[in-house]
Amino acid sequence: MSNVSELHAATANAAEYLAFTLGNEEYGIDIQKVGEIRSYEAPTRIANAPDFVKGVVNLRGIIVPIVDMRIKFNLGTPTYDQFTVVIILNIGHRVVGMVVDRVSDVTTLLPEQIKPTPEIGSALNTDHIVGLGTIDDRMLILVDIDKLMSSADMGLIENTALAA
């Protein structure tokens, strides 16, 4: 009987991540932040917006800013094809869309499958990286999407909105 309770205790600490691809890397974000996944449609451009903000879309009456993560992470010139999707995120009291190359699956990670982010030095800002999730031969870069979207250089979500 103890095996059942040990298994229950282990899975109680498990977390689910939506796995997506940007360039050659696979990332994961907390599934609880994801509202929906939509096919990519060209957003309406906003004058003087940063390059990574592609524009806005009207999502059932809500104006949603669309961020292209390939541009944000300097992963080359983005191409938009049938696999390109927009992940609609619910962060604080805001809704934001995030363009990614493709979504692969929802993965459950146990605490022992998450390794700490290695120290890379000050040249690279890794504040928004929670750790590295390992599943067999796959490695997911786990992103704290709240921290990333509320970072000063993104400017999309005020930190006060996250505290509320």
Side-chain angles (χ1 to χ4, degrees):
M1 204 48 134
S2 67
N3 286 349
V4 171
S5 60
E6 287 170 16
L7 181 63
H8 186 338
T11 55
N13 293 328
E16 289 189 320
Y17 293 88
L18 177 66
F20 61 91
T21 306
L22 289 171
N24 297 324
E25 302 302 327
E26 205 170 8
Y27 295 81
I29 56 173
D30 182 346
I31 192 69
Q32 294 178 0
K33 301 293 179 184
V34 176
E36 63 183 278
I37 299 168
R38 303 172 51 88
S39 58
Y40 179 78
E41 57 184 75
T44 303
R45 291 284 304 158
I46 300 291
N48 300 320
D51 287 347
F52 58 84
V53 177
K54 298 300 292 177
V56 296
V57 296
N58 184 341
L59 183 65
R60 295 181 292 280
I62 300 169
I63 302 303
V64 178
I66 303 297
V67 175
D68 192 316
M69 299 310 287
R70 293 168 295 191
I71 297 171
K72 174 68 183 132
F73 290 156
N74 292 318
L75 296 174
T77 305
T79 55
Y80 304 96
D81 59 24
Q82 72 272 23
F83 299 110
T84 305
V85 295
V86 177
I87 301 170
I88 303 297
L89 302 166
N90 298 308
I91 300 173
H93 299 290
R94 293 286 308 268
V95 178
V96 178
M98 177 173 84
V99 180
V100 300
D101 291 337
R102 59 191 41 80
V103 168
S104 43
D105 57 4
V106 175
T107 303
T108 301
L109 293 174
L110 297 170
E112 58 269 18
Q113 290 176 289
I114 300 174
K115 308 295 181 222
T117 307
E119 290 297 321
I120 302 175
S122 60
L124 187 62
N125 181 356
T126 57
D127 288 350
H128 59 275
I129 299 177
V130 185
L132 300 173
T134 55
I135 311 113
D136 300 323
D137 59 347
R138 281 173 71 192
M139 190 173 301
L140 291 180
I141 300 167
L142 303 177
V143 177
D144 181 333
I145 201 67
D146 289 311
K147 268 190 184 170
L148 179 62
M149 291 296 179
S150 64
S151 63
D153 64 328
M154 292 290 273
L156 293 175
I157 296 169
E158 303 78 31
N159 281 321
T160 54
L162 296 176

Coordinates of all heavy atoms in Angstrom, one line a residue, residues 59-151:
L59 N -9.5 39.4 -30.1 CA -9.9 38.0 -29.7 C -11.2 38.1 -28.9 O -11.1 38.4 -27.7 CB -8.7 37.4 -28.9 CG -8.9 36.0 -28.4 CD1 -8.9 35.0 -29.6 CD2 -7.8 35.6 -27.5
R60 N -12.2 37.9 -29.6 CA -13.6 37.9 -29.0 C -13.8 39.2 -28.2 O -14.2 39.1 -27.0 CB -13.8 36.7 -28.1 CG -13.9 35.4 -29.0 CD -14.1 34.1 -28.1 NE -13.1 33.8 -27.2 CZ -12.0 33.2 -27.6 NH1 -11.8 32.8 -28.8 NH2 -11.0 32.8 -26.7
G61 N -13.4 40.3 -28.7 CA -13.6 41.6 -28.1 C -12.5 42.1 -27.2 O -12.5 43.2 -26.7
I62 N -11.4 41.3 -27.0 CA -10.3 41.7 -26.2 C -9.1 42.0 -27.2 O -8.8 41.1 -28.1 CB -9.9 40.5 -25.3 CG1 -11.0 40.2 -24.3 CG2 -8.6 40.9 -24.5 CD1 -10.8 39.0 -23.5
I63 N -8.5 43.1 -27.1 CA -7.4 43.5 -27.9 C -6.1 42.8 -27.3 O -5.8 43.1 -26.1 CB -7.2 45.0 -28.0 CG1 -8.5 45.6 -28.6 CG2 -6.0 45.3 -28.9 CD1 -8.9 45.0 -30.0
V64 N -5.5 41.9 -28.0 CA -4.4 41.1 -27.5 C -3.1 41.5 -28.2 O -3.0 41.3 -29.4 CB -4.7 39.6 -27.7 CG1 -3.5 38.8 -27.2 CG2 -6.0 39.3 -27.0
P65 N -2.0 42.0 -27.5 CA -0.7 42.2 -28.1 C -0.1 40.8 -28.5 O -0.2 39.9 -27.7 CB 0.1 42.9 -27.1 CG -0.6 42.6 -25.8 CD -2.0 42.3 -26.1
I66 N 0.5 40.8 -29.7 CA 1.2 39.5 -30.2 C 2.7 39.7 -30.2 O 3.2 40.6 -30.9 CB 0.6 39.2 -31.6 CG1 -0.9 39.1 -31.6 CG2 1.3 37.9 -32.1 CD1 -1.4 38.0 -30.7
V67 N 3.4 38.9 -29.4 CA 4.8 38.9 -29.3 C 5.4 37.8 -30.1 O 5.0 36.6 -29.9 CB 5.3 38.8 -27.8 CG1 6.8 38.8 -27.7 CG2 4.7 40.0 -27.0
D68 N 6.4 38.1 -31.0 CA 7.1 37.0 -31.7 C 8.3 36.7 -30.9 O 9.3 37.4 -30.9 CB 7.4 37.4 -33.1 CG 7.9 36.2 -34.0 OD1 8.7 35.4 -33.5 OD2 7.4 36.1 -35.1
M69 N 8.3 35.5 -30.3 CA 9.5 35.1 -29.5 C 10.7 34.8 -30.2 O 11.8 35.0 -29.7 CB 9.1 33.8 -28.6 CG 7.9 34.1 -27.7 SD 8.0 35.5 -26.7 CE 9.2 35.0 -25.5
R70 N 10.7 34.5 -31.5 CA 11.9 34.3 -32.3 C 12.6 35.6 -32.5 O 13.8 35.7 -32.4 CB 11.5 33.7 -33.7 CG 11.0 32.3 -33.6 CD 10.4 31.8 -34.8 NE 9.2 32.6 -35.2 CZ 8.3 32.3 -36.1 NH1 8.5 31.3 -36.9 NH2 7.3 33.1 -36.3
I71 N 11.9 36.7 -32.6 CA 12.5 38.0 -32.7 C 13.0 38.4 -31.3 O 14.1 38.9 -31.2 CB 11.5 39.1 -33.3 CG1 11.1 38.7 -34.7 CG2 12.1 40.5 -33.2 CD1 9.9 39.5 -35.3
K72 N 12.2 38.2 -30.3 CA 12.6 38.6 -28.9 C 13.9 37.9 -28.5 O 14.7 38.5 -27.9 CB 11.5 38.2 -28.0 CG 11.8 38.4 -26.5 CD 11.9 39.9 -26.2 CE 12.3 40.0 -24.7 NZ 13.4 41.0 -24.6
F73 N 14.1 36.6 -28.9 CA 15.3 35.9 -28.5 C 16.3 35.9 -29.6 O 17.3 35.1 -29.5 CB 14.9 34.4 -28.2 CG 14.1 34.3 -26.9 CD1 13.3 33.1 -26.7 CD2 14.1 35.2 -25.9 CE1 12.5 33.0 -25.6 CE2 13.4 35.0 -24.7 CZ 12.6 33.9 -24.5
N74 N 16.2 36.8 -30.6 CA 17.2 36.9 -31.7 C 17.5 35.5 -32.3 O 18.7 35.1 -32.4 CB 18.5 37.5 -31.1 CG 18.3 39.0 -30.8 OD1 17.7 39.7 -31.5 ND2 18.9 39.4 -29.7
L75 N 16.5 34.8 -32.7 CA 16.7 33.5 -33.3 C 16.6 33.5 -34.8 O 16.1 32.6 -35.5 CB 15.6 32.5 -32.7 CG 15.8 32.2 -31.3 CD1 14.7 31.4 -30.7 CD2 17.1 31.6 -31.0
G76 N 17.0 34.6 -35.4 CA 16.9 34.7 -36.9 C 15.6 35.3 -37.4 O 14.7 35.6 -36.6
T77 N 15.5 35.4 -38.7 CA 14.3 35.9 -39.3 C 13.2 34.9 -39.3 O 13.4 33.8 -39.7 CB 14.6 36.3 -40.8 OG1 15.7 37.2 -40.9 CG2 13.4 36.9 -41.5
P78 N 12.1 35.3 -38.7 CA 11.0 34.3 -38.6 C 10.3 34.1 -39.9 O 10.2 34.9 -40.8 CB 10.0 35.0 -37.6 CG 10.3 36.5 -37.7 CD 11.8 36.6 -38.1
T79 N 9.9 32.8 -40.1 CA 9.0 32.5 -41.2 C 7.7 32.0 -40.6 O 7.7 31.4 -39.6 CB 9.7 31.4 -42.1 OG1 10.0 30.3 -41.2 CG2 11.0 31.9 -42.7
Y80 N 6.7 32.2 -41.3 CA 5.4 31.8 -40.9 C 4.8 30.8 -41.8 O 4.7 31.0 -43.0 CB 4.4 33.1 -40.8 CG 5.0 34.1 -39.9 CD1 5.7 35.2 -40.5 CD2 4.9 34.1 -38.5 CE1 6.3 36.2 -39.6 CE2 5.5 35.0 -37.7 CZ 6.2 36.1 -38.3 OH 6.7 37.0 -37.5
D81 N 4.5 29.6 -41.3 CA 4.0 28.5 -42.1 C 2.8 27.9 -41.4 O 2.3 28.4 -40.4 CB 5.1 27.5 -42.4 CG 5.7 26.8 -41.1 OD1 5.0 26.8 -40.1 OD2 6.8 26.4 -41.2
Q82 N 2.4 26.7 -41.9 CA 1.2 26.1 -41.3 C 1.4 25.6 -39.9 O 0.4 25.3 -39.2 CB 0.7 24.9 -42.2 CG 1.5 23.7 -42.2 CD 2.7 23.7 -43.2 OE1 3.1 24.8 -43.7 NE2 3.2 22.6 -43.5
F83 N 2.6 25.5 -39.4 CA 2.9 25.0 -38.1 C 3.0 26.2 -37.1 O 2.9 26.0 -35.8 CB 4.2 24.2 -38.0 CG 4.1 23.0 -38.9 CD1 4.9 22.9 -40.0 CD2 3.3 21.9 -38.5 CE1 4.8 21.8 -40.8 CE2 3.2 20.8 -39.3 CZ 4.0 20.7 -40.5
T84 N 3.2 27.4 -37.5 CA 3.3 28.6 -36.7 C 2.0 28.8 -35.9 O 0.9 28.8 -36.5 CB 3.6 29.8 -37.5 OG1 4.8 29.6 -38.3 CG2 3.9 31.0 -36.6
V85 N 2.1 28.9 -34.6 CA 0.9 29.1 -33.8 C 1.1 30.3 -32.8 O 2.3 30.7 -32.6 CB 0.6 27.9 -33.0 CG1 0.2 26.7 -33.9 CG2 1.7 27.5 -32.0
V86 N 0.0 30.8 -32.3 CA 0.0 31.8 -31.2 C -0.5 31.1 -30.0 O -1.6 30.6 -30.0 CB -0.8 33.0 -31.6 CG1 -0.9 34.0 -30.5 CG2 -0.3 33.6 -32.9
I87 N 0.3 31.2 -28.9 CA -0.2 30.7 -27.6 C -0.8 31.9 -26.9 O -0.1 32.9 -26.7 CB 1.0 30.1 -26.8 CG1 1.6 28.9 -27.6 CG2 0.5 29.6 -25.4 CD1 2.9 28.4 -27.0
I88 N -2.0 31.8 -26.6 CA -2.7 32.9 -25.8 C -2.5 32.6 -24.3 O -2.8 31.6 -23.8 CB -4.2 32.9 -26.1 CG1 -4.4 33.1 -27.7 CG2 -4.9 34.0 -25.3 CD1 -3.9 34.4 -28.3
L89 N -1.8 33.6 -23.7 CA -1.4 33.5 -22.3 C -2.3 34.4 -21.4 O -2.6 35.5 -21.8 CB 0.0 33.9 -22.1 CG 1.0 33.2 -23.0 CD1 2.4 33.9 -23.0 CD2 1.2 31.8 -22.4
N90 N -2.6 33.9 -20.2 CA -3.3 34.7 -19.2 C -2.3 35.0 -18.1 O -1.9 34.1 -17.4 CB -4.5 33.9 -18.6 CG -5.5 33.6 -19.7 OD1 -5.9 34.5 -20.4 ND2 -5.9 32.4 -19.8
I91 N -1.8 36.2 -18.1 CA -0.7 36.6 -17.1 C -1.2 37.8 -16.3 O -1.5 38.9 -16.9 CB 0.5 37.0 -17.9 CG1 1.0 35.8 -18.7 CG2 1.6 37.4 -16.9 CD1 2.2 36.0 -19.6
G92 N -1.3 37.6 -15.0 CA -1.9 38.7 -14.2 C -3.3 39.0 -14.7 O -4.1 38.1 -14.8
H93 N -3.6 40.2 -15.0 CA -4.9 40.6 -15.5 C -4.8 40.9 -17.0 O -5.7 41.6 -17.5 CB -5.4 41.8 -14.7 CG -5.6 41.5 -13.2 ND1 -6.6 40.7 -12.7 CD2 -4.9 41.9 -12.2 CE1 -6.5 40.6 -11.4 NE2 -5.4 41.3 -11.0
R94 N -3.8 40.4 -17.6 CA -3.6 40.7 -19.1 C -3.7 39.4 -19.9 O -3.4 38.3 -19.4 CB -2.3 41.4 -19.3 CG -2.1 42.7 -18.7 CD -2.8 43.9 -19.4 NE -2.5 43.9 -20.9 CZ -1.6 44.6 -21.4 NH1 -0.8 45.3 -20.7 NH2 -1.4 44.6 -22.7
V95 N -4.0 39.6 -21.2 CA -4.0 38.5 -22.1 C -2.9 38.9 -23.2 O -3.0 40.0 -23.7 CB -5.4 38.3 -22.8 CG1 -5.3 37.2 -23.8 CG2 -6.4 37.9 -21.7
V96 N -2.0 38.0 -23.5 CA -0.9 38.3 -24.4 C -0.8 37.1 -25.3 O -0.9 35.9 -24.9 CB 0.4 38.5 -23.7 CG1 1.6 38.7 -24.6 CG2 0.3 39.7 -22.7
G97 N -0.5 37.3 -26.6 CA -0.3 36.2 -27.5 C 1.2 36.1 -27.8 O 1.9 37.1 -27.9
M98 N 1.7 34.8 -27.9 CA 3.1 34.6 -28.1 C 3.3 33.7 -29.3 O 2.7 32.6 -29.3 CB 3.6 33.8 -26.8 CG 5.0 33.4 -26.9 SD 5.6 32.8 -25.2 CE 5.0 31.1 -25.3
V99 N 3.9 34.2 -30.3 CA 4.1 33.4 -31.6 C 5.3 32.5 -31.4 O 6.4 32.9 -31.0 CB 4.4 34.3 -32.8 CG1 4.6 33.5 -34.1 CG2 3.3 35.4 -33.0
V100 N 5.1 31.2 -31.7 CA 6.2 30.2 -31.7 C 6.1 29.3 -32.9 O 5.1 29.4 -33.7 CB 6.0 29.2 -30.4 CG1 6.1 30.0 -29.1 CG2 4.7 28.4 -30.5
D101 N 7.2 28.6 -33.2 CA 7.3 27.9 -34.4 C 6.3 26.7 -34.5 O 5.6 26.5 -35.5 CB 8.7 27.3 -34.6 CG 9.8 28.3 -34.9 OD1 9.4 29.4 -35.4 OD2 10.9 28.1 -34.6
R102 N 6.2 26.0 -33.4 CA 5.2 24.9 -33.3 C 5.0 24.5 -31.8 O 5.9 24.7 -31.0 CB 5.5 23.7 -34.2 CG 6.9 23.1 -33.9 CD 7.3 22.1 -35.0 NE 7.0 22.5 -36.3 CZ 7.8 23.3 -37.1 NH1 8.9 23.8 -36.5 NH2 7.5 23.6 -38.3
V103 N 3.9 23.9 -31.6 CA 3.6 23.3 -30.2 C 3.7 21.8 -30.4 O 3.2 21.3 -31.3 CB 2.2 23.8 -29.7 CG1 1.8 23.0 -28.5 CG2 2.2 25.2 -29.4
S104 N 4.4 21.2 -29.4 CA 4.5 19.7 -29.5 C 3.6 19.0 -28.6 O 2.8 18.2 -29.1 CB 6.0 19.3 -29.3 OG 6.6 19.9 -28.2
D105 N 3.6 19.2 -27.3 CA 2.8 18.4 -26.4 C 2.7 19.1 -25.1 O 3.4 20.1 -24.8 CB 3.3 17.0 -26.3 CG 4.7 16.9 -25.8 OD1 5.3 17.9 -25.5 OD2 5.3 15.7 -25.8
V106 N 1.9 18.4 -24.2 CA 1.9 18.8 -22.8 C 2.7 17.7 -22.1 O 2.4 16.5 -22.2 CB 0.5 18.9 -22.3 CG1 0.5 19.2 -20.7 CG2 -0.3 20.0 -23.0
T107 N 3.7 18.1 -21.3 CA 4.6 17.2 -20.6 C 4.5 17.3 -19.1 O 4.4 18.5 -18.6 CB 6.0 17.5 -21.1 OG1 6.1 17.3 -22.5 CG2 7.0 16.5 -20.4
T108 N 4.4 16.2 -18.4 CA 4.4 16.3 -17.0 C 5.8 16.0 -16.5 O 6.5 15.1 -16.9 CB 3.5 15.2 -16.4 OG1 2.1 15.4 -16.9 CG2 3.5 15.2 -14.9
L109 N 6.3 16.9 -15.7 CA 7.7 16.8 -15.1 C 7.6 16.7 -13.6 O 6.9 17.4 -12.9 CB 8.5 18.0 -15.5 CG 8.9 18.2 -17.0 CD1 9.6 19.5 -17.2 CD2 9.7 17.1 -17.5
L110 N 8.3 15.7 -13.1 CA 8.5 15.5 -11.7 C 9.6 16.4 -11.2 O 10.5 16.8 -12.0 CB 8.8 14.1 -11.3 CG 7.7 13.1 -11.7 CD1 8.2 11.7 -11.5 CD2 6.4 13.3 -10.8
P111 N 9.7 16.8 -9.9 CA 10.8 17.7 -9.5 C 12.2 17.2 -9.8 O 13.1 18.0 -10.2 CB 10.6 17.7 -8.0 CG 9.1 17.5 -7.8 CD 8.7 16.5 -8.9
E112 N 12.4 15.9 -9.8 CA 13.7 15.3 -10.1 C 14.1 15.4 -11.5 O 15.3 15.2 -11.9 CB 13.9 13.9 -9.5 CG 12.9 12.9 -10.1 CD 11.6 12.8 -9.2 OE1 11.3 13.6 -8.4 OE2 10.9 11.8 -9.4
Q113 N 13.1 15.7 -12.4 CA 13.4 15.9 -13.8 C 13.8 17.3 -14.2 O 14.1 17.6 -15.3 CB 12.2 15.4 -14.7 CG 11.9 14.0 -14.6 CD 10.6 13.6 -15.4 OE1 9.5 14.0 -14.9 NE2 10.8 13.1 -16.6
I114 N 13.7 18.2 -13.2 CA 14.0 19.6 -13.5 C 15.4 19.9 -12.9 O 15.6 19.8 -11.7 CB 12.9 20.5 -12.9 CG1 11.6 20.2 -13.6 CG2 13.3 22.0 -13.1 CD1 10.4 20.9 -13.0
K115 N 16.3 20.3 -13.7 CA 17.7 20.7 -13.3 C 17.8 22.2 -13.2 O 17.2 22.9 -14.0 CB 18.7 20.1 -14.3 CG 18.5 18.6 -14.6 CD 18.8 17.8 -13.4 CE 18.6 16.3 -13.7 NZ 17.9 15.5 -12.7
P116 N 18.6 22.7 -12.3 CA 18.8 24.1 -12.2 C 19.5 24.7 -13.5 O 20.2 24.0 -14.2 CB 19.7 24.3 -11.0 CG 20.3 23.0 -10.7 CD 19.4 22.0 -11.4
T117 N 19.2 25.9 -13.8 CA 19.8 26.6 -14.9 C 21.3 26.8 -14.7 O 21.7 27.3 -13.6 CB 19.2 28.0 -15.2 OG1 17.8 27.8 -15.2 CG2 19.7 28.6 -16.4
P118 N 22.2 26.4 -15.6 CA 23.6 26.6 -15.4 C 24.0 28.0 -15.4 O 23.3 28.8 -16.1 CB 24.3 25.8 -16.6 CG 23.2 25.7 -17.6 CD 21.9 25.7 -16.9
E119 N 25.0 28.4 -14.7 CA 25.5 29.8 -14.6 C 26.2 30.0 -16.0 O 27.1 29.4 -16.3 CB 26.5 30.0 -13.5 CG 25.8 30.0 -12.1 CD 24.8 31.1 -11.9 OE1 25.1 32.2 -12.4 OE2 23.8 30.8 -11.3
I120 N 25.7 31.0 -16.7 CA 26.2 31.4 -18.0 C 27.0 32.7 -18.0 O 27.8 33.0 -18.9 CB 25.1 31.4 -19.1 CG1 24.4 30.1 -19.1 CG2 25.6 31.8 -20.4 CD1 23.2 30.0 -20.0
G121 N 26.9 33.4 -16.9 CA 27.6 34.7 -16.8 C 26.6 35.8 -17.0 O 25.4 35.6 -17.3
S122 N 27.1 37.0 -16.9 CA 26.2 38.2 -17.0 C 25.9 38.6 -18.5 O 25.1 39.5 -18.7 CB 26.9 39.4 -16.3 OG 28.1 39.7 -16.9
A123 N 26.5 38.0 -19.5 CA 26.3 38.3 -20.8 C 24.9 37.9 -21.3 O 24.3 38.5 -22.2 CB 27.3 37.7 -21.8
L124 N 24.3 37.0 -20.6 CA 23.0 36.5 -21.0 C 22.0 36.6 -19.8 O 22.3 36.1 -18.7 CB 23.1 35.0 -21.4 CG 21.9 34.4 -22.0 CD1 21.4 35.1 -23.3 CD2 22.2 32.9 -22.3
N125 N 20.9 37.2 -20.0 CA 19.9 37.4 -18.9 C 19.1 36.1 -18.9 O 18.3 35.8 -19.8 CB 19.0 38.6 -19.2 CG 18.0 38.8 -18.1 OD1 17.9 38.0 -17.2 ND2 17.2 39.8 -18.2
T126 N 19.2 35.3 -17.8 CA 18.5 34.1 -17.6 C 17.5 34.2 -16.5 O 17.1 33.1 -16.0 CB 19.5 32.9 -17.4 OG1 20.3 33.2 -16.2 CG2 20.4 32.7 -18.6
D127 N 17.1 35.4 -16.1 CA 16.2 35.5 -15.0 C 14.9 34.8 -15.2 O 14.2 34.4 -14.3 CB 15.9 37.0 -14.7 CG 17.1 37.7 -14.1 OD1 18.0 37.1 -13.7 OD2 17.0 39.0 -14.0
H128 N 14.5 34.7 -16.5 CA 13.2 34.2 -16.8 C 13.2 32.7 -17.0 O 12.2 32.0 -17.3 CB 12.6 34.9 -18.0 CG 13.4 34.7 -19.2 ND1 14.5 35.6 -19.5 CD2 13.5 33.8 -20.2 CE1 15.1 35.3 -20.6 NE2 14.5 34.2 -21.1
I129 N 14.4 32.1 -16.9 CA 14.5 30.6 -17.1 C 14.5 29.9 -15.7 O 15.3 30.2 -14.8 CB 15.8 30.3 -17.9 CG1 15.8 30.9 -19.2 CG2 16.0 28.7 -18.0 CD1 17.0 30.7 -20.1
V130 N 13.5 29.0 -15.5 CA 13.3 28.4 -14.3 C 14.3 27.2 -14.1 O 14.7 26.9 -13.0 CB 11.9 27.8 -14.2 CG1 11.6 27.2 -12.8 CG2 10.9 28.9 -14.5
G131 N 14.6 26.5 -15.2 CA 15.4 25.3 -15.1 C 15.4 24.6 -16.4 O 14.8 25.1 -17.4
L132 N 15.9 23.4 -16.5 CA 15.9 22.6 -17.6 C 15.2 21.3 -17.3 O 15.6 20.6 -16.4 CB 17.4 22.3 -18.1 CG 18.2 23.5 -18.4 CD1 19.6 23.1 -18.7 CD2 17.6 24.2 -19.6
G133 N 14.2 21.0 -18.1 CA 13.4 19.8 -17.9 C 13.9 18.7 -18.7 O 14.2 18.9 -19.9
T134 N 14.2 17.5 -18.2 CA 14.7 16.4 -18.9 C 13.7 15.2 -19.0 O 13.2 14.8 -18.0 CB 16.0 15.9 -18.3 OG1 15.8 15.5 -16.9 CG2 17.1 16.9 -18.3
I135 N 13.5 14.8 -20.2 CA 12.6 13.7 -20.5 C 13.3 12.8 -21.5 O 13.4 13.2 -22.6 CB 11.2 14.1 -21.1 CG1 10.6 15.3 -20.4 CG2 10.3 13.0 -21.2 CD1 10.6 16.6 -21.1
D136 N 13.8 11.7 -21.0 CA 14.6 10.8 -21.8 C 15.7 11.6 -22.5 O 16.6 12.2 -21.8 CB 13.8 10.0 -22.8 CG 12.7 9.2 -22.1 OD1 13.0 8.6 -21.0 OD2 11.6 9.1 -22.6
D137 N 15.7 11.6 -23.8 CA 16.8 12.4 -24.5 C 16.4 13.8 -24.9 O 17.1 14.5 -25.6 CB 17.2 11.6 -25.8 CG 16.1 11.4 -26.8 OD1 14.9 11.6 -26.4 OD2 16.4 11.0 -27.9
R138 N 15.2 14.2 -24.5 CA 14.7 15.6 -24.7 C 15.1 16.5 -23.6 O 15.2 16.1 -22.4 CB 13.2 15.6 -24.8 CG 12.6 15.2 -26.1 CD 11.1 15.1 -26.0 NE 10.4 16.4 -25.9 CZ 9.1 16.5 -25.6 NH1 8.4 15.5 -25.3 NH2 8.6 17.7 -25.6
M139 N 15.3 17.8 -23.9 CA 15.6 18.8 -22.9 C 14.7 20.0 -23.2 O 14.7 20.5 -24.3 CB 17.0 19.2 -22.9 CG 17.4 20.1 -21.7 SD 19.1 20.4 -21.5 CE 19.8 18.8 -21.3
L140 N 13.9 20.4 -22.2 CA 13.0 21.6 -22.3 C 13.7 22.7 -21.5 O 14.0 22.5 -20.4 CB 11.7 21.3 -21.8 CG 10.7 20.4 -22.4 CD1 9.4 20.3 -21.7 CD2 10.5 20.8 -23.9
I141 N 13.7 23.9 -22.1 CA 14.1 25.1 -21.4 C 12.9 25.6 -20.8 O 12.0 26.1 -21.5 CB 14.8 26.1 -22.4 CG1 16.0 25.5 -23.0 CG2 15.1 27.4 -21.6 CD1 16.5 26.3 -24.2
L142 N 12.8 25.6 -19.5 CA 11.5 26.0 -18.8 C 11.6 27.5 -18.5 O 12.5 28.0 -17.8 CB 11.4 25.2 -17.5 CG 11.4 23.6 -17.6 CD1 11.3 23.0 -16.3 CD2 10.3 23.2 -18.6
V143 N 10.5 28.1 -19.0 CA 10.5 29.6 -18.9 C 9.4 30.0 -17.9 O 8.3 29.5 -17.9 CB 10.1 30.2 -20.3 CG1 10.0 31.7 -20.3 CG2 11.2 29.8 -21.3
D144 N 9.8 31.0 -17.0 CA 8.8 31.6 -16.2 C 8.2 32.7 -17.0 O 8.7 33.8 -17.1 CB 9.5 32.2 -14.9 CG 8.5 32.9 -14.0 OD1 7.4 33.3 -14.4 OD2 8.8 32.9 -12.8
I145 N 7.0 32.4 -17.6 CA 6.4 33.3 -18.6 C 6.0 34.6 -17.9 O 6.0 35.7 -18.5 CB 5.3 32.6 -19.4 CG1 5.1 33.4 -20.7 CG2 4.1 32.4 -18.6 CD1 6.2 33.3 -21.7
D146 N 5.6 34.6 -16.6 CA 5.2 35.8 -15.9 C 6.4 36.8 -15.9 O 6.3 37.9 -16.2 CB 4.8 35.5 -14.5 CG 3.5 34.8 -14.4 OD1 2.5 35.3 -15.0 OD2 3.3 33.8 -13.7
K147 N 7.6 36.2 -15.4 CA 8.8 37.1 -15.4 C 9.2 37.6 -16.7 O 9.6 38.8 -16.8 CB 10.0 36.3 -14.8 CG 10.1 36.3 -13.3 CD 11.4 35.7 -12.9 CE 11.5 35.7 -11.4 NZ 12.7 34.9 -10.9
L148 N 9.1 36.8 -17.7 CA 9.6 37.2 -19.1 C 8.7 38.3 -19.6 O 9.1 39.3 -20.1 CB 9.5 36.0 -20.0 CG 9.9 36.4 -21.5 CD1 11.4 36.9 -21.6 CD2 9.7 35.2 -22.4
M149 N 7.4 38.1 -19.5 CA 6.4 39.1 -20.0 C 6.4 40.4 -19.2 O 6.0 41.4 -19.7 CB 5.0 38.5 -20.2 CG 4.9 37.5 -21.2 SD 5.2 38.2 -22.9 CE 5.1 36.7 -23.9
S150 N 6.8 40.3 -17.9 CA 6.7 41.5 -17.1 C 8.1 42.2 -17.0 O 8.3 43.2 -16.3 CB 6.2 41.2 -15.7 OG 7.1 40.3 -15.0
S151 N 9.1 41.6 -17.7 CA 10.5 42.2 -17.6 C 10.4 43.6 -18.2 O 9.6 43.9 -19.1 CB 11.5 41.3 -18.3 OG 11.2 41.2 -19.7

